[in-house]
Amino acid sequence: MKVREAIEKADTLIEAMGWIRRFRDSITVIKLGGSVMEDADALRHLLVDIVFMETVGMRPIVVHGGGAAISRAMSEAKLEPRFIQGRRYTDQDTLDIVQRVLAGEVNEMIAERIEDFGGRAMPLNPNGETDNNVLFGEPLKLAGENGEEIDLGFVGQVTSVDRDALDNLCYAGQVPIIPSVCKTADGQLLNVNADTAAMAVAQAMGAEKLIFLSDVNGVRLNKDDPESLIHTLTAEAASELIKKGVIESGMIPKVQACLETLEKGVKKIHIIDGRLRHSLLLEIYTNRGIGTEIVTAI
Ligand SMILES: Nc1ncnc2c1ncn2[C@@H]1O[C@H](COP(=O)(O)OP(=O)(O)O)[C@@H](O)[C@H]1O
Ligand SMILES: CC(=O)N[C@@H](CCC(=O)OP(=O)(O)O)C(=O)O
């Protein structure tokens, strides 16, 4: 390497010192969406960024989905996925797939790959002899347009999080990897939308940041046009866009989760494109950030 190049590299390291200090010991909850995990290159870069964050003393916690992998396994089993307000209707057969694929295969794959990249990770799933579950909850009750109760089967919402377990892992330098399932007081497993699971973890841990990594550059005015990205979205505008149908499908629980999290004191919430190389690091150390930031008001 030429001396000049080496000096530039050293300059970059010194520049990074400010933001590394700023975020040292602060918790960032990273929601890894199933859609971005379908892109092998994107996943590799994201996991390396997470290992970097942990190495420099930040405290990343990963909450992951796996919607695409569940739907694939369902179609192999000749089951038809059905979504209501962005949530998967979950009967017993579907729940079995969620447990095997999301809480099992996907969860362990993420932890193993982080270890392959030199980091340390702990898969926190309820499967197997050592039940490592950290999310506890109850069946989700959704209301339809006329206030009627919608039956979603084995779908849950998180009501409590094992904070101590997560704190201990973070302080021991292990990245917690949490699948989006919860257990009821009776030990019944429930399928939880991963955006709402990430929200619950961010709230419980008093996270500095909550970052949703998806396969779009953020919330758009026209979902098929990247140029129509909304950089800053207020709570009021978000509710309006959901009502008008501009925000639809998988983006609904994401935005709803952001709005609820804002009310509970998490400082910064962003929806960003996980396929963009180093999107996580860019989000942390650029002032404006990337993607869509959700705020209470401007
Ligand atoms: N207004 C919108 N702006 C951007 N994406 C939207 C919007 N409305 C709906 N979507 C859809 O939401 C999807 C992201 O949600 P989802 O598929 O659940 O991803 P993830 O697996 O990351 O949670 C996008 O791929 C897009 O098709
Ligand atoms: C109740 C419910 O909808 N659960 C989700 C859990 C996975 C998820 O949310 O994954 P993504 O982040 O990839 O969308 C599901 O079954 O698809």
Side-chain angles (χ1 to χ4, degrees):
M1 193 187 329
K2 295 206 180 76
V3 174
R4 196 183 172 77
E5 267 175 51
I7 290 174
E8 277 169 14
K9 286 220 162 107
D11 279 344
T12 309
L13 285 175
I14 298 296
E15 267 171 43
M17 192 160 62
W19 60 267
I20 288 174
R21 276 220 181 105
R22 173 154 144 46
F23 291 111
R24 194 160 50 197
D25 288 336
S26 67
I27 288 179
T28 297
V29 174
I30 297 156
K31 190 272 168 150
L32 205 43
S35 38
V36 75
M37 283 193 277
E38 294 292 292
D39 183 330
D41 256 7
L43 181 62
R44 181 160 49 86
H45 287 296
L46 288 170
L47 297 181
V48 171
D49 281 5
I50 290 169
V51 172
F52 178 84
M53 289 169 75
E54 199 284 312
T55 305
V56 299
M58 299 176 184
R59 311 279 182 212
I61 296 179
V62 175
V63 179
H64 68 86
I70 297 169
S71 293
R72 214 169 23 245
M74 285 182 74
S75 82
E76 278 161 19
K78 309 264 177 303
L79 297 169
E80 180 75 31
R82 188 153 68 85
F83 289 90
I84 306 165
Q85 295 183 25
R87 274 88 173 168
R88 186 186 309 270
Y89 176 77
T90 306
D91 58 13
Q92 184 62 55
D93 290 343
T94 308
L95 185 67
D96 291 344
I97 289 177
V98 170
Q99 177 159 16
R100 173 172 58 83
V101 175
L102 175 115
E105 294 161 11
V106 176
N107 183 255
E108 272 152 31
M109 176 275 289
I110 296 171
E112 275 166 20
R113 297 211 47 203
I114 286 187
E115 302 246 339
D116 289 345
F117 294 129
R120 290 172 62 217
M122 177 60 82
L124 294 170
N125 64 55
N127 300 343
E129 279 165 28
T130 47
D131 179 345
N132 279 337
N133 178 55
V134 289
L135 303 183
F136 301 90
E138 61 189 20
L140 173 69
K141 295 198 171 30
L142 268 191
E145 278 178 12
N146 305 315
E148 76 282 9
E149 196 177 297
I150 299 174
D151 173 26
L152 289 166
F154 294 104
V155 170
Q157 61 186 354
V158 176
T159 51
S160 78
V161 173
D162 188 342
R163 274 192 62 155
D164 290 346
L166 294 176
D167 267 335
N168 288 340
L169 287 170
C170 287
Y171 283 91
Q174 275 191 293
V175 183
I177 313 294
I178 308 174
S180 60
V181 291
C182 70
K183 272 194 164 174
T184 65
D186 309 338
Q188 171 65 51
L189 191 72
L190 297 172
N191 180 14
V192 181
N193 172 274
D195 299 319
T196 60
M199 164 191 88
V201 173
Q203 284 172 17
M205 301 306 292
E208 174 85 22
K209 270 177 187 280
L210 171 57
I211 301 177
F212 292 90
L213 295 167
S214 190
D215 66 342
V216 276
N217 58 346
V219 182
R220 302 169 177 172
L221 271 175
N222 170 355
K223 84 174 170 68
D224 299 316
D225 177 12
E227 298 295 318
S228 70
L229 173 72
I230 306 170
H231 292 278
T232 308
L233 184 62
T234 63
E236 198 185 340
S239 307
E240 197 58 30
L241 292 180
I242 292 176
K243 246 189 249 154
K244 282 192 190 149
V246 170
I247 292 174
E248 50 168 287
S249 62
M251 197 47 83
I252 297 177
K254 226 179 288 305
V255 171
Q256 283 172 340
C258 293
L259 298 180
E260 252 190 74
T261 313
L262 269 180
E263 288 165 13
K264 308 264 169 62
V266 176
K267 292 194 189 105
K268 272 182 135 301
I269 306 174
H270 281 258
I271 299 172
I272 65 176
D273 191 345
R275 297 165 311 173
L276 179 70
R277 198 159 161 203
H278 295 311
S279 53
L280 256 181
L281 296 187
L282 289 175
E283 166 40 39
I284 286 162
Y285 77 82
T286 56
N287 282 338
R288 190 173 179 210
I290 54 172
T292 300
E293 180 175 13
I294 317 278
V295 296
T296 28
I298 295 178

